[in-house]
Amino acid sequence: MPQVPQTLDALAVRTWCGLALEALGRAREEIDAINVYPVADGDTGTNLYLTVESATAAVEAVFAGYETVTGAVGPTGSAASGAVSTEVSGAGLPTLADAVRAMAHGALIGARGNSGTILAQLLRGMAQVLAADGEAGGEARGETDGATDGESAHTDGQALRLALRQAADSAREAVAHPVEGTVLTVATAAAEAATGTEGDCGTVACAAYEGARAALMATPGQLAVLARAGVVDAGGRGLLAVLAALAETFTGESPGAGRVAGEVHTRVNGMDGVSGVDRVDGVGRVDVNGVCVDSRPGEEGPAFEVTYLLEAEDADMARLRARLDRLGNSLVVVGGDGLWNVHVHADDAGAAVEAGVEAGRPYRIRITHFGLGDAHTAGAAGRPPRERAQRAVVAVVPGEGLAGLYAEAGATTVLARPGEPPASGELVEAVRRAHAREVVLLPNDADLRHTAAAAAEQARTEGVRVALIPTRSAVQGIAALAVHEPERRFDEDVVAMTSAAGATRYAEVAVAERQSWTMAGICQAGDVLGLIDGDVAVIGSDITATAETVLDRMLAAGGEMVTLVLGDDAPGSIAAHLEARVRESYLAVDTVAYRGGRQGALLLIGVE
């Protein structure tokens, strides 16, 4: 019975993201196990999952914005709990353009690893076509009274074909030296299969899937390292799961049900160009000429993987690409309109970061040493597993300055950009990166409590003992970290850290984005707000004066230690002014100040 075509709209994008995330969640371990190119670090499935998780969260946020009442204080979001606006952001559903742009942006900022970065560019390429189609062609397709279902379906199918073509082309352009037999090959095959297909979105999506599947089967004949290991390309396998989800979105059935994990592997030994492959087992390993090959790398490469988000002018990117290309390999630079995700493998990680500094402002910098042999790489490259630490602290921090402070104290950090909180998968990855038997998790944000709880539960299923301390601000996390002692019993350490965090009152100074009602009265856009324990307590016009009033109210109940964390936009003299105020008016109270970097709030205050 023929399937009823589904309109290509925001709901379809939302459905696709959800199905793709579920598919990658099921296939993550399998994809990790066959990851041998470009580096056998066993994390391609995890990286793809985290990338799609970020895209999905961004799409869900757009839908939530049309369904809920918005907050008034930005840009951190945490301040909004004390200043609730009566304004509703919109009615009904978001447009197709809204949804695909959110999907692309979420993937861009959450992209992980080589394959995840390429997938982000694939989604961005699709968004460029679909956003324009959604804005210019929406009335002609779905809102014009005279449009028939057949006309709408045909236009939707055509838009999807063009989107898949643009996705493949833009991804190939983003890679410095494209290699056949990789996810790029699979994406190109999907686009070519879709281009030659007429029909609705379901027909086009199924054709793209079948084209990608055939190309994936051929990857061992194109890359020697895949042939030696007897596996298909891991990134291409992940893209196949995403395309299967796309087909299921429009047909209600997954085209790869029951065969993606099995037939893709079992047919490797029948591929032309793959000689000596005798047998394939269930996770992608084979016997090659009678010798078992277990995901070993094809050649030695650079020591570090360097990734970061970069705010830079488009005109500066050609020079950055050229410099990074000289420094290393596996160079992928994706994005546009001033925001980029940079990925490169290099021996000189510092030089790779410095190149970003010269081009613009890099942040969310992540440097991974391929030789460390963590939980993913142990066994994949024949290295002995690294011994787990007994205990570690994983903390979410709102700025680069605090990330450095927490790292100096021994914590593994997850950087939260203003307005873009980390997803649970990112916290799980940080727990894995900490590589400890016991982990104390500090979310440092009331809105992240449920996300952190989900991450903790996932980590426990992997054999890690995790304690979640519900810190609601980075200053509470600092207090907890100050009393952390890895040598004492786990329960005792958690109790001490929880007690220190709970005894720390927290406040922040921020600027109102719009008029709204607050606990302290009506604020106007541009007013300076002082929030104590999440509620607006002071409305003022001067940042320093408002901060002083907030501090006085906090110290009225007593205190021994004041912690100040200054954002980039805070006045340069504010720390000295508040320190002098404490020194003159409150005996035996110490003050310590830190630079938090771009943390959203102008100032964070903690009183212990």
Side-chain angles (χ1 to χ4, degrees):
M1 184 175 180
Q3 295 289 335
V4 177
Q6 180 175 337
T7 302
L8 181 52
D9 57 10
L11 280 173
V13 174
R14 184 187 203 182
T15 301
W16 178 31
C17 287
L19 290 173
L21 188 63
E22 291 176 5
L24 287 171
R26 292 190 299 268
R28 181 182 63 81
E29 292 184 0
E30 173 205 336
I31 297 171
D32 284 346
I34 63 172
N35 173 201
V36 298
Y37 182 84
V39 177
D41 50 354
D43 62 358
T44 292
T46 299
N47 287 337
L48 289 170
Y49 179 87
L50 292 173
T51 302
V52 174
E53 184 181 50
S54 182
T56 303
V59 173
E60 290 298 328
V62 167
F63 273 83
Y66 279 79
E67 298 167 356
T68 61
V69 177
T70 59
V73 182
T76 62
S78 60
S81 61
V84 178
S85 169
T86 57
E87 228 177 274
V88 178
S89 62
L93 295 174
T95 65
L96 172 62
D98 290 336
V100 294
R101 284 174 179 154
M103 174 185 70
H105 181 71
L108 176 66
I109 64 173
R112 296 303 183 89
N114 190 69
S115 295
T117 307
I118 293 173
L119 178 60
Q121 188 68 2
L122 287 166
L123 296 180
R124 177 179 172 82
M126 294 188 70
Q128 289 172 334
V129 172
L130 296 179
D133 181 72
E135 289 175 339
E139 291 186 2
R141 287 205 321 273
E143 297 171 14
T144 300
D145 292 339
T148 66
D149 289 343
E151 290 169 343
S152 175
H154 174 77
T155 307
D156 281 355
Q158 182 182 35
L160 186 57
R161 289 198 301 272
L162 294 173
L164 290 167
R165 178 78 270 169
Q166 176 65 16
D169 291 345
S170 61
R172 193 168 284 270
E173 291 171 1
V175 177
H177 302 285
V179 175
E180 297 306 325
T182 65
V183 62
L184 296 175
T185 304
V186 176
T188 298
E192 290 175 350
T195 301
T197 302
E198 294 292 335
D200 57 33
C201 285
T203 303
V204 172
C206 286
Y209 169 84
E210 291 298 339
R213 182 172 167 277
L216 179 64
M217 292 298 304
T219 56
Q222 296 171 297
L223 267 181
V225 64
L226 300 179
R228 285 196 299 268
V231 296
V232 295
D233 178 66
R237 168 66 183 89
L239 178 59
L240 191 68
V242 174
L243 291 173
L246 180 64
E248 184 176 357
T249 297
F250 295 110
T251 66
E253 296 180 359
S254 174
R259 71 182 185 190
V260 172
E263 191 176 344
V264 163
H265 290 152
T266 57
R267 288 183 58 190
V268 169
N269 70 357
M271 288 305 304
D272 293 334
V274 185
S275 59
V277 179
D278 299 321
R279 178 175 55 82
V280 183
D281 70 16
V283 293
R285 297 177 176 83
V286 302
D287 283 347
V288 181
N289 295 327
V291 179
C292 181
V293 180
D294 185 6
S295 301
R296 55 194 173 97
E299 57 183 17
E300 294 299 324
F304 298 98
E305 178 184 58
V306 181
T307 62
Y308 48 82
L309 290 178
L310 178 69
E311 292 179 352
E313 297 296 328
D314 293 13
D316 296 326
M317 299 310 295
R319 184 173 59 179
L320 174 65
R321 283 189 174 97
R323 181 171 177 186
L324 291 176
D325 195 26
R326 291 192 297 269
L327 286 173
N329 59 31
S330 295
L331 174 60
V332 186
V333 180
V334 304
D337 302 320
L339 180 62
W340 308 83
N341 192 308
V342 178
H343 171 281
V344 67
H345 295 173
D347 284 320
D348 191 343
V353 176
E354 288 172 8
V357 173
E358 290 183 5
R361 192 186 79 86
Y363 57 98
R364 286 197 182 181
I365 299 167
R366 183 181 301 274
I367 299 173
T368 303
H369 194 311
F370 289 127
L372 286 180
D374 64 11
H376 290 302
T377 62
R383 292 185 294 267
R386 177 165 56 98
E387 181 64 26
R388 285 183 178 271
Q390 181 59 35
R391 189 173 309 157
V393 176
V394 172
V396 179
V397 290
E400 293 89 342
L402 279 179
L405 174 67
Y406 272 75
E408 287 177 8
T412 298
T413 61
V414 177
L415 190 60
R417 191 183 186 209
E420 296 170 356
S424 62
E426 193 169 355
L427 299 186
V428 173
E429 187 195 28
V431 171
R432 292 172 182 148
R433 198 165 71 245
H435 204 56
R437 298 182 182 88
E438 302 166 339
V439 170
V440 180
L441 185 56
L442 306 175
N444 291 341
D445 186 337
D447 292 336
L448 284 179
R449 183 169 183 177
H450 295 300
T451 300
E457 187 61 32
Q458 173 62 35
R460 291 184 188 111
T461 65
E462 299 178 9
V464 182
R465 187 180 184 189
V466 181
L468 171 61
I469 298 179
T471 49
R472 294 172 289 174
S473 171
V475 291
Q476 288 189 322
I478 291 173
L481 200 55
V483 300
H484 169 55
E485 291 185 13
E487 293 78 18
R488 64 184 164 197
R489 292 178 57 247
F490 184 65
D491 291 340
E492 293 176 356
D493 197 30
V494 171
V495 168
M497 295 176 72
T498 303
S499 178
T504 301
R505 299 188 71 194
Y506 65 97
E508 67 176 274
V509 177
V511 177
E513 290 187 333
R514 63 182 68 87
Q515 181 188 56
S516 66
W517 292 90
T518 77
M519 298 290 290
I522 300 176
C523 72
Q524 305 295 328
D527 282 349
V528 180
L529 305 182
L531 296 95
I532 299 177
D533 293 338
D535 293 324
V536 175
V538 180
I539 301 175
S541 57
D542 180 78
I543 295 172
T544 302
T546 302
E548 182 178 316
T549 301
V550 169
L551 186 57
D552 284 340
R553 291 195 183 184
M554 296 178 74
L555 286 172
E560 298 176 356
M561 169 69 75
V562 172
T563 300
L564 306 174
V565 182
L566 285 73
D568 282 345
D569 296 328
S573 61
I574 191 170
H577 180 88
L578 295 178
E579 287 174 346
R581 173 68 177 173
V582 172
R583 196 165 49 247
E584 294 167 2
S585 304
Y586 303 96
L587 298 177
V589 177
D590 295 324
T591 305
V592 60
Y594 303 105
R595 282 283 171 186
R598 191 182 180 200
Q599 61 186 24
L602 296 170
L603 176 69
L604 300 177
I605 304 174
V607 174
E608 299 176 44

Short mmCIF file of all heavy atoms in Angstrom, two decimals, residues 135-182:
data_model
loop_
_atom_site.label_atom_id
_atom_site.label_comp_id
_atom_site.label_asym_id
_atom_site.label_seq_id
_atom_site.Cartn_x
_atom_site.Cartn_y
_atom_site.Cartn_z
N GLU A 135 11.17 29.76 3.17
CA GLU A 135 10.77 31.16 3.22
C GLU A 135 10.12 31.62 1.92
O GLU A 135 9.11 32.30 1.91
CB GLU A 135 12.00 32.03 3.51
CG GLU A 135 12.51 31.86 4.94
CD GLU A 135 13.79 32.63 5.18
OE1 GLU A 135 14.47 32.94 4.18
OE2 GLU A 135 14.10 32.92 6.34
N ALA A 136 10.74 31.21 0.79
CA ALA A 136 10.27 31.70 -0.50
C ALA A 136 9.12 30.88 -1.07
O ALA A 136 8.29 31.40 -1.80
CB ALA A 136 11.42 31.73 -1.50
N GLY A 137 9.11 29.58 -0.72
CA GLY A 137 8.13 28.72 -1.37
C GLY A 137 7.04 28.19 -0.48
O GLY A 137 6.23 27.38 -0.90
N GLY A 138 6.98 28.66 0.77
CA GLY A 138 5.99 28.11 1.69
C GLY A 138 4.56 28.33 1.23
O GLY A 138 3.73 27.43 1.25
N GLU A 139 4.27 29.56 0.78
CA GLU A 139 2.91 29.83 0.36
C GLU A 139 2.56 29.04 -0.90
O GLU A 139 1.48 28.49 -1.03
CB GLU A 139 2.75 31.33 0.10
CG GLU A 139 2.82 32.16 1.38
CD GLU A 139 2.51 33.61 1.11
OE1 GLU A 139 2.21 33.93 -0.07
OE2 GLU A 139 2.55 34.41 2.05
N ALA A 140 3.51 28.96 -1.81
CA ALA A 140 3.24 28.26 -3.07
C ALA A 140 3.01 26.78 -2.83
O ALA A 140 2.23 26.14 -3.52
CB ALA A 140 4.41 28.45 -4.04
N ARG A 141 3.67 26.22 -1.80
CA ARG A 141 3.56 24.77 -1.57
C ARG A 141 2.35 24.42 -0.73
O ARG A 141 1.50 23.65 -1.11
CB ARG A 141 4.81 24.25 -0.87
CG ARG A 141 6.02 24.18 -1.72
CD ARG A 141 6.95 23.13 -1.15
NE ARG A 141 7.00 23.16 0.29
CZ ARG A 141 7.82 23.95 1.00
NH1 ARG A 141 8.62 24.76 0.41
NH2 ARG A 141 7.82 23.90 2.30
N GLY A 142 2.29 25.01 0.47
CA GLY A 142 1.30 24.52 1.41
C GLY A 142 0.22 25.49 1.78
O GLY A 142 -0.79 25.11 2.37
N GLU A 143 0.40 26.80 1.46
CA GLU A 143 -0.54 27.78 1.96
C GLU A 143 -1.42 28.38 0.86
O GLU A 143 -2.37 29.09 1.13
CB GLU A 143 0.23 28.90 2.67
CG GLU A 143 0.98 28.39 3.89
CD GLU A 143 1.90 29.44 4.48
OE1 GLU A 143 1.77 30.61 4.12
OE2 GLU A 143 2.76 29.08 5.27
N THR A 144 -1.09 28.10 -0.40
CA THR A 144 -1.92 28.59 -1.49
C THR A 144 -3.16 27.70 -1.63
O THR A 144 -3.04 26.49 -1.70
CB THR A 144 -1.13 28.58 -2.81
OG1 THR A 144 0.01 29.43 -2.64
CG2 THR A 144 -1.96 29.08 -3.96
N ASP A 145 -4.30 28.34 -1.66
CA ASP A 145 -5.54 27.57 -1.68
C ASP A 145 -5.62 26.62 -2.87
O ASP A 145 -6.15 25.52 -2.77
CB ASP A 145 -6.74 28.52 -1.71
CG ASP A 145 -6.87 29.29 -0.42
OD1 ASP A 145 -6.32 28.81 0.59
OD2 ASP A 145 -7.50 30.37 -0.42
N GLY A 146 -5.02 27.00 -4.00
CA GLY A 146 -5.15 26.17 -5.20
C GLY A 146 -4.15 25.06 -5.30
O GLY A 146 -4.17 24.29 -6.25
N ALA A 147 -3.20 24.95 -4.34
CA ALA A 147 -2.15 23.92 -4.44
C ALA A 147 -2.73 22.56 -4.13
O ALA A 147 -3.44 22.39 -3.16
CB ALA A 147 -1.00 24.25 -3.50
N THR A 148 -2.43 21.58 -4.94
CA THR A 148 -2.88 20.22 -4.68
C THR A 148 -1.83 19.48 -3.88
O THR A 148 -0.68 19.88 -3.81
CB THR A 148 -3.11 19.48 -6.00
OG1 THR A 148 -1.85 19.33 -6.67
CG2 THR A 148 -4.08 20.23 -6.90
N ASP A 149 -2.23 18.36 -3.28
CA ASP A 149 -1.29 17.54 -2.53
C ASP A 149 -0.16 17.07 -3.44
O ASP A 149 0.99 17.01 -3.04
CB ASP A 149 -2.01 16.33 -1.92
CG ASP A 149 -2.92 16.76 -0.78
OD1 ASP A 149 -2.74 17.88 -0.29
OD2 ASP A 149 -3.80 15.96 -0.41
N GLY A 150 -0.48 16.73 -4.67
CA GLY A 150 0.54 16.25 -5.59
C GLY A 150 1.57 17.32 -5.88
O GLY A 150 2.76 17.05 -5.95
N GLU A 151 1.10 18.58 -6.08
CA GLU A 151 2.04 19.67 -6.35
C GLU A 151 2.94 19.90 -5.15
O GLU A 151 4.14 20.13 -5.27
CB GLU A 151 1.26 20.93 -6.69
CG GLU A 151 0.57 20.85 -8.04
CD GLU A 151 -0.41 22.00 -8.23
OE1 GLU A 151 -0.76 22.63 -7.22
OE2 GLU A 151 -0.82 22.26 -9.37
N SER A 152 2.35 19.87 -3.96
CA SER A 152 3.13 20.08 -2.74
C SER A 152 4.17 19.00 -2.58
O SER A 152 5.32 19.27 -2.27
CB SER A 152 2.19 20.12 -1.52
OG SER A 152 2.94 20.22 -0.33
N ALA A 153 3.77 17.75 -2.79
CA ALA A 153 4.69 16.63 -2.62
C ALA A 153 5.83 16.71 -3.62
O ALA A 153 6.99 16.45 -3.29
CB ALA A 153 3.95 15.30 -2.78
N HIS A 154 5.50 17.08 -4.87
CA HIS A 154 6.55 17.17 -5.89
C HIS A 154 7.57 18.24 -5.52
O HIS A 154 8.78 18.05 -5.64
CB HIS A 154 5.92 17.47 -7.25
CG HIS A 154 6.94 17.70 -8.33
ND1 HIS A 154 7.62 16.67 -8.92
CD2 HIS A 154 7.42 18.84 -8.89
CE1 HIS A 154 8.48 17.16 -9.81
NE2 HIS A 154 8.36 18.49 -9.81
N THR A 155 7.06 19.40 -5.06
CA THR A 155 7.97 20.49 -4.69
C THR A 155 8.82 20.08 -3.50
O THR A 155 10.01 20.38 -3.44
CB THR A 155 7.15 21.76 -4.36
OG1 THR A 155 6.29 22.06 -5.44
CG2 THR A 155 8.09 22.94 -4.13
N ASP A 156 8.23 19.42 -2.53
CA ASP A 156 8.97 18.96 -1.37
C ASP A 156 10.07 17.98 -1.79
O ASP A 156 11.20 18.05 -1.32
CB ASP A 156 8.04 18.27 -0.36
CG ASP A 156 7.26 19.30 0.46
OD1 ASP A 156 7.53 20.50 0.30
OD2 ASP A 156 6.41 18.89 1.25
N GLY A 157 9.74 17.05 -2.66
CA GLY A 157 10.73 16.09 -3.13
C GLY A 157 11.86 16.78 -3.87
O GLY A 157 13.03 16.43 -3.72
N GLN A 158 11.52 17.77 -4.68
CA GLN A 158 12.54 18.52 -5.40
C GLN A 158 13.45 19.27 -4.44
O GLN A 158 14.67 19.29 -4.61
CB GLN A 158 11.87 19.50 -6.37
CG GLN A 158 12.85 20.30 -7.22
CD GLN A 158 12.14 21.29 -8.12
OE1 GLN A 158 11.12 21.86 -7.74
NE2 GLN A 158 12.68 21.49 -9.31
N ALA A 159 12.87 19.88 -3.41
CA ALA A 159 13.67 20.61 -2.42
C ALA A 159 14.62 19.67 -1.69
O ALA A 159 15.78 20.01 -1.43
CB ALA A 159 12.75 21.31 -1.42
N LEU A 160 14.13 18.46 -1.36
CA LEU A 160 14.98 17.51 -0.67
C LEU A 160 16.13 17.05 -1.57
O LEU A 160 17.27 16.89 -1.10
CB LEU A 160 14.14 16.31 -0.21
CG LEU A 160 14.87 15.28 0.66
CD1 LEU A 160 15.46 15.94 1.90
CD2 LEU A 160 13.92 14.15 1.07
N ARG A 161 15.86 16.85 -2.86
CA ARG A 161 16.94 16.48 -3.78
C ARG A 161 18.02 17.57 -3.84
O ARG A 161 19.21 17.28 -3.76
CB ARG A 161 16.37 16.26 -5.20
CG ARG A 161 15.53 15.02 -5.35
CD ARG A 161 15.37 14.64 -6.83
NE ARG A 161 14.75 15.70 -7.60
CZ ARG A 161 13.43 15.84 -7.75
NH1 ARG A 161 12.61 14.98 -7.15
NH2 ARG A 161 12.94 16.82 -8.48
N LEU A 162 17.57 18.81 -3.95
CA LEU A 162 18.53 19.92 -4.01
C LEU A 162 19.30 20.05 -2.70
O LEU A 162 20.50 20.36 -2.70
CB LEU A 162 17.79 21.22 -4.31
CG LEU A 162 17.13 21.33 -5.69
CD1 LEU A 162 16.30 22.60 -5.79
CD2 LEU A 162 18.19 21.30 -6.79
N ALA A 163 18.62 19.80 -1.59
CA ALA A 163 19.27 19.91 -0.28
C ALA A 163 20.35 18.85 -0.11
O ALA A 163 21.45 19.14 0.40
CB ALA A 163 18.23 19.79 0.84
N LEU A 164 20.07 17.62 -0.53
CA LEU A 164 21.08 16.56 -0.42
C LEU A 164 22.27 16.84 -1.33
O LEU A 164 23.42 16.54 -0.98
CB LEU A 164 20.43 15.22 -0.78
CG LEU A 164 19.43 14.68 0.24
CD1 LEU A 164 18.63 13.52 -0.36
CD2 LEU A 164 20.13 14.24 1.52
N ARG A 165 22.01 17.43 -2.50
CA ARG A 165 23.11 17.78 -3.41
C ARG A 165 24.00 18.86 -2.79
O ARG A 165 25.22 18.77 -2.81
CB ARG A 165 22.52 18.28 -4.72
CG ARG A 165 23.52 18.73 -5.78
CD ARG A 165 24.15 17.54 -6.47
NE ARG A 165 25.36 17.06 -5.82
CZ ARG A 165 25.97 15.93 -6.12
NH1 ARG A 165 25.45 15.14 -7.04
NH2 ARG A 165 27.05 15.56 -5.50
N GLN A 166 23.36 19.91 -2.24
CA GLN A 166 24.12 20.98 -1.61
C GLN A 166 24.88 20.47 -0.39
O GLN A 166 26.01 20.90 -0.13
CB GLN A 166 23.17 22.11 -1.20
CG GLN A 166 23.83 23.25 -0.44
CD GLN A 166 24.85 24.03 -1.24
OE1 GLN A 166 24.88 23.92 -2.47
NE2 GLN A 166 25.70 24.80 -0.57
N ALA A 167 24.29 19.55 0.35
CA ALA A 167 24.96 18.98 1.53
C ALA A 167 26.25 18.29 1.13
O ALA A 167 27.31 18.53 1.72
CB ALA A 167 24.02 18.00 2.23
N ALA A 168 26.19 17.43 0.12
CA ALA A 168 27.37 16.69 -0.31
C ALA A 168 28.45 17.62 -0.85
O ALA A 168 29.64 17.47 -0.54
CB ALA A 168 26.99 15.66 -1.37
N ASP A 169 28.05 18.62 -1.63
CA ASP A 169 29.02 19.53 -2.22
C ASP A 169 29.70 20.39 -1.16
O ASP A 169 30.92 20.58 -1.18
CB ASP A 169 28.34 20.43 -3.26
CG ASP A 169 27.89 19.66 -4.50
OD1 ASP A 169 28.35 18.51 -4.69
OD2 ASP A 169 27.07 20.20 -5.27
N SER A 170 28.92 20.92 -0.22
CA SER A 170 29.50 21.81 0.79
C SER A 170 30.40 21.04 1.75
O SER A 170 31.42 21.56 2.21
CB SER A 170 28.39 22.53 1.57
OG SER A 170 27.56 21.61 2.26
N ALA A 171 30.05 19.79 2.06
CA ALA A 171 30.90 18.99 2.93
C ALA A 171 32.24 18.70 2.27
O ALA A 171 33.30 18.76 2.90
CB ALA A 171 30.21 17.69 3.32
N ARG A 172 32.21 18.39 1.00
CA ARG A 172 33.46 18.11 0.27
C ARG A 172 34.34 19.36 0.22
O ARG A 172 35.56 19.28 0.34
CB ARG A 172 33.13 17.61 -1.14
CG ARG A 172 34.28 16.98 -1.88
CD ARG A 172 33.78 16.27 -3.13
NE ARG A 172 33.16 14.99 -2.82
CZ ARG A 172 33.80 13.83 -2.77
NH1 ARG A 172 35.10 13.80 -2.98
NH2 ARG A 172 33.16 12.72 -2.50
N GLU A 173 33.71 20.52 0.06
CA GLU A 173 34.48 21.77 0.03
C GLU A 173 35.10 22.10 1.38
O GLU A 173 36.13 22.77 1.45
CB GLU A 173 33.57 22.91 -0.42
CG GLU A 173 33.13 22.84 -1.87
CD GLU A 173 32.06 23.85 -2.21
OE1 GLU A 173 31.69 24.62 -1.30
OE2 GLU A 173 31.60 23.87 -3.36
N ALA A 174 34.49 21.62 2.45
CA ALA A 174 34.98 21.94 3.80
C ALA A 174 36.21 21.14 4.18
O ALA A 174 36.93 21.50 5.12
CB ALA A 174 33.87 21.71 4.82
N VAL A 175 36.44 20.02 3.50
CA VAL A 175 37.57 19.14 3.81
C VAL A 175 38.76 19.55 2.95
O VAL A 175 38.64 19.66 1.72
CB VAL A 175 37.20 17.67 3.57
CG1 VAL A 175 38.40 16.75 3.83
CG2 VAL A 175 36.03 17.28 4.46
N ALA A 176 39.91 19.77 3.60
CA ALA A 176 41.08 20.27 2.87
C ALA A 176 41.52 19.31 1.77
O ALA A 176 41.84 19.72 0.66
CB ALA A 176 42.23 20.53 3.85
N HIS A 177 41.54 18.00 2.07
CA HIS A 177 41.99 17.00 1.11
C HIS A 177 41.01 15.83 1.13
O HIS A 177 41.20 14.85 1.86
CB HIS A 177 43.40 16.52 1.45
CG HIS A 177 44.41 17.62 1.48
ND1 HIS A 177 44.91 18.21 0.34
CD2 HIS A 177 45.00 18.27 2.52
CE1 HIS A 177 45.77 19.15 0.68
NE2 HIS A 177 45.84 19.22 1.99
N PRO A 178 39.92 15.92 0.35
CA PRO A 178 38.91 14.87 0.35
C PRO A 178 39.50 13.51 -0.03
O PRO A 178 40.35 13.41 -0.91
CB PRO A 178 37.90 15.34 -0.70
CG PRO A 178 38.11 16.82 -0.79
CD PRO A 178 39.58 17.03 -0.56
N VAL A 179 39.05 12.47 0.66
CA VAL A 179 39.51 11.11 0.42
C VAL A 179 38.31 10.24 0.07
O VAL A 179 37.28 10.29 0.77
CB VAL A 179 40.24 10.55 1.66
CG1 VAL A 179 40.61 9.08 1.46
CG2 VAL A 179 41.48 11.37 1.97
N GLU A 180 38.42 9.46 -0.99
CA GLU A 180 37.33 8.56 -1.35
C GLU A 180 37.33 7.34 -0.43
O GLU A 180 38.37 6.91 0.07
CB GLU A 180 37.46 8.13 -2.81
CG GLU A 180 37.37 9.29 -3.80
CD GLU A 180 36.11 10.12 -3.62
OE1 GLU A 180 35.04 9.55 -3.26
OE2 GLU A 180 36.17 11.34 -3.82
N GLY A 181 36.16 6.79 -0.25
CA GLY A 181 36.01 5.67 0.68
C GLY A 181 35.65 6.13 2.07
O GLY A 181 35.72 5.35 3.02
N THR A 182 35.25 7.39 2.19
CA THR A 182 34.89 7.96 3.49
C THR A 182 33.44 8.42 3.47
O THR A 182 32.71 8.19 2.51
CB THR A 182 35.81 9.15 3.82
OG1 THR A 182 35.55 10.20 2.87
CG2 THR A 182 37.28 8.76 3.76
#
